[in-house]
Amino acid sequence: MKTLQFKNPSVQGELKVPGDKSISHRSIMFGAISEGVTKVTGFLKGDDCLSTIDCFRKMGVNITEKNDEILIEGKGFSGLQEPNEILYTGNSGTTTRLLLGILAGLPFHSVVTGDESIAKRPMNRVTDPLKQMGAKIDGRDHGNLTPLSVRGGTLKPFHYKLPVASAQLKSALILAGLQSEGETVIVEPEKTRDHTEKMIRHFGGEISREENRIKVSGNQAFQAKDVHVPGDISSAAFFLTAAAITSGSNLLLKDVGINETRTGIIDVLKEMQANVSVSQTNNDEEPLGDISMTSSGLKSCEIGGELIPRLIDEIPIIALLATQADGQTVIRDAEELKVKETNRIDAVVEELKKLGADIHATDDGMIINGPVKLHGGQADSRGDHRIGMMLAVASLITEDAVHVENPECISVSYPSFFEDLSYVTNQVRN
Ligand code: SPQ
């Protein structure tokens, strides 16, 4: 349990949030399937990304850390070895699903499993199409739930229309397609984060996109190339919200990744009339920027459609923001929230209600009425890092303490979260 109490805090100063989780995972995976040594800077040393490192080490890849840099001695797809231990993916859906795409094309047997949250998350969205490509995968509930046993091998090229907008599903199929015997075509219902596609190009491979149709040819090989991981906009979102909802705040977040498939939170902040501005600092494949935020009055807004994949992980913190906005905020088309680390529709609604929010669940999202003065109390992260951080930020605007149950899970994406919260407010009490 973490007890948080603040006395009229404001959020001030400059902060650099840790590296992007999605890009950190992919840097290890692409480093491992390339030939040569890849150096990664800015890597997120959160539990999820450490799980990815652990899985590749178990397949014989030498991964070391030196002066805050991660060095990966890549072996190409064909150099990955049959693991003699279970590949344990911890709490990480990204590790589990992308790894399945890689394992599908490898001529050996492996077993993939994760923690109790992973054990509940649907894997058939990935295992069904991988089986159609030729991989042999089985597990609980006919191959839907971990532990999953994979025997990979020769894969057929494949045409597939994704039933859900999911970057993890898209990426798993791309990683399998890269090992197949021809051209794989994937059509996504809406554009999702494109870090895998950018990584392929960065490591010298080819992939093309026309509208929502992605084409990738098989038998591709990659050359090692250094990767710099930008700050994670999903982590930045907690501090942007902290600054938006506390009066007198003035915050500058440096070197944040502003890939347009991830910046839905900025669009929503602007729509809510928050004082946010972004200045782009480079134009690399994964663009970087500094984001500044000062407090202001907030207005409600409507969020749905194509915007959802661009802010799916920010919805818990957007819900908190909406409790402080004038009017009714409606979030729709977000059914995918039900299959995250927790059912994030239920978790957000039930935990924010404990602090006095006027919030209701709908079939595909939630409705929030604001502004409402939140009060302190006890609320549970339910083992979900994003719920835990949202509750901690809520404590900035309650008079009495907020007691956050199960705060340890925050280390999967933001190990230094409480130190950073303390730094920008300078008054956290334990
Ligand atoms: O890795 P995990 O546990 O699935 O992480 C989450 C998160 O909140 O950090 C989701 F719970 O992010 C996913 C994100 O929701 C990371 C991700 C990626 O790196 O490709 C894609 C999204 O998931 P999905 O299911 O929409 O593909």
Side-chain angles (χ1 to χ4, degrees):
M1 176 107 78
K2 183 98 178 165
T3 295
L4 296 153
Q5 188 166 25
F6 298 81
K7 289 268 176 283
N8 299 320
S10 64
V11 172
Q12 302 289 344
E14 236 180 76
L15 183 68
K16 222 173 148 158
V17 295
D20 186 279
K21 178 159 78 69
S22 295
I23 299 174
S24 293
H25 283 303
R26 287 156 172 86
S27 70
I28 298 299
M29 295 180 182
F30 278 86
I33 60 173
S34 297
E35 303 277 352
V37 178
T38 288
K39 182 172 80 184
V40 184
T41 51
F43 182 79
L44 168 66
K45 284 187 238 159
D47 297 343
D48 272 11
C49 301
L50 298 178
S51 294
T52 295
I53 290 186
D54 185 55
C55 290
F56 281 87
R57 282 186 177 144
K58 285 180 177 155
M59 289 191 284
V61 182
N62 193 21
I63 304 174
T64 50
E65 194 187 330
K66 199 174 146 199
N67 306 332
D68 256 6
E69 292 170 356
I70 306 290
L71 298 176
I72 309 151
E73 292 176 35
K75 299 186 148 205
F77 278 115
S78 61
L80 297 175
Q81 293 160 13
E82 184 169 70
N84 53 19
E85 283 174 82
I86 287 172
L87 299 175
Y88 183 69
T89 59
N91 189 246
S92 176
T94 309
T95 312
T96 311
R97 296 202 175 106
L98 271 59
L99 190 58
L100 288 169
I102 293 176
L103 293 171
L106 298 174
F108 55 65
H109 175 258
S110 54
V111 176
V112 178
T113 199
D115 68 5
E116 65 281 4
S117 157
I118 284 293
K120 293 185 204 133
R121 294 177 72 180
M123 295 298 152
N124 55 358
R125 55 179 57 193
V126 176
T127 55
D128 285 349
L130 290 177
K131 285 196 260 186
Q132 290 175 48
M133 290 177 85
K136 293 188 176 58
I137 306 178
D138 208 349
R140 288 185 303 128
D141 190 27
H142 307 285
N144 181 30
L145 300 173
T146 56
L148 293 165
S149 147
V150 185
R151 182 165 289 282
T154 307
L155 298 176
K156 297 190 280 274
F158 193 52
H159 285 220
Y160 193 65
K161 200 168 166 202
L162 306 186
V164 283
S166 159
Q168 292 177 359
L169 168 55
K170 171 182 69 174
S171 301
L173 299 184
I174 290 173
L175 286 161
L178 287 170
Q179 305 172 76
S180 79
E181 303 278 320
E183 187 179 70
T184 294
V185 179
I186 298 160
V187 181
E188 48 179 359
E190 263 130 27
K191 190 168 186 187
T192 60
R193 65 190 70 187
D194 60 357
H195 307 301
T196 302
E197 295 91 311
K198 286 180 186 289
M199 265 311 158
I200 288 178
R201 293 190 198 101
H202 183 76
F203 281 85
E206 279 177 22
I207 187 160
S208 66
R209 178 181 193 108
E210 251 173 60
E211 297 186 349
N212 282 357
R213 176 180 290 263
I214 297 156
K215 284 187 192 167
V216 64
S217 53
N219 290 319
Q220 293 202 40
F222 301 101
Q223 287 310 313
K225 189 152 178 210
D226 294 350
V227 175
H228 177 67
V229 181
D232 196 328
I233 192 161
S234 296
S235 299
F238 295 98
F239 288 95
L240 293 174
T241 300
I245 62 178
T246 50
S247 56
S249 291
N250 188 355
L251 180 69
L252 178 65
L253 298 177
K254 301 283 289 179
D255 300 338
V256 183
I258 50 168
N259 176 323
E260 52 101 21
T261 62
R262 298 284 300 281
T263 49
I265 178 70
I266 304 291
D267 296 359
V268 164
L269 284 165
K270 286 183 176 160
E271 180 79 22
M272 293 178 107
Q273 299 184 10
N275 270 333
V276 65
S277 70
V278 179
S279 86
Q280 187 162 343
T281 51
N282 82 17
N283 205 9
D284 290 355
E285 278 149 328
E286 290 288 358
L288 274 183
D290 296 341
I291 309 178
S292 67
M293 170 67 97
T294 53
S295 23
S296 68
L298 297 168
K299 291 261 183 286
S300 60
C301 69
E302 302 227 339
I303 302 170
E306 290 178 352
L307 190 53
I308 294 295
R310 295 180 56 233
L311 48 63
I312 186 75
D313 296 338
E314 287 63 80
I315 291 177
I317 195 67
I318 288 172
L320 173 64
L321 199 58
T323 67
Q324 303 310 301
D326 189 18
Q328 183 168 79
T329 295
V330 181
I331 301 175
R332 56 171 70 92
D333 306 322
E335 299 91 336
E336 275 294 295
L337 289 175
K338 295 179 182 170
V339 291
K340 299 295 179 186
E341 284 82 329
T342 47
N343 175 333
R344 286 185 179 159
I345 295 182
D346 290 352
V348 166
V349 169
E350 290 164 20
E351 298 307 321
L352 272 177
K353 266 190 183 161
K354 291 180 186 168
L355 305 182
D358 181 353
I359 181 168
H360 307 277
T362 61
D363 278 352
D364 64 349
M366 54 195 88
I367 297 175
I368 307 126
N369 294 305
V372 164
K373 174 126 188 64
L374 299 184
H375 54 70
Q378 191 158 324
D380 192 351
S381 76
R382 304 182 180 201
D384 184 330
H385 53 134
R386 305 220 184 268
I387 305 296
M389 288 187 275
M390 180 272 284
L391 294 171
V393 174
S395 74
L396 297 176
I397 51 169
T398 61
E399 236 164 72
D400 298 328
V402 173
H403 307 280
V404 182
E405 294 167 72
N406 300 305
E408 312 75 27
C409 58
I410 290 172
S411 64
V412 310
S413 66
Y414 203 150
S416 58
F417 174 76
F418 288 110
E419 286 91 317
D420 286 355
L421 189 62
S422 171
Y423 174 72
V424 293
T425 57
N426 207 12
Q427 47 181 325
V428 172
R429 282 193 232 132
N430 288 315

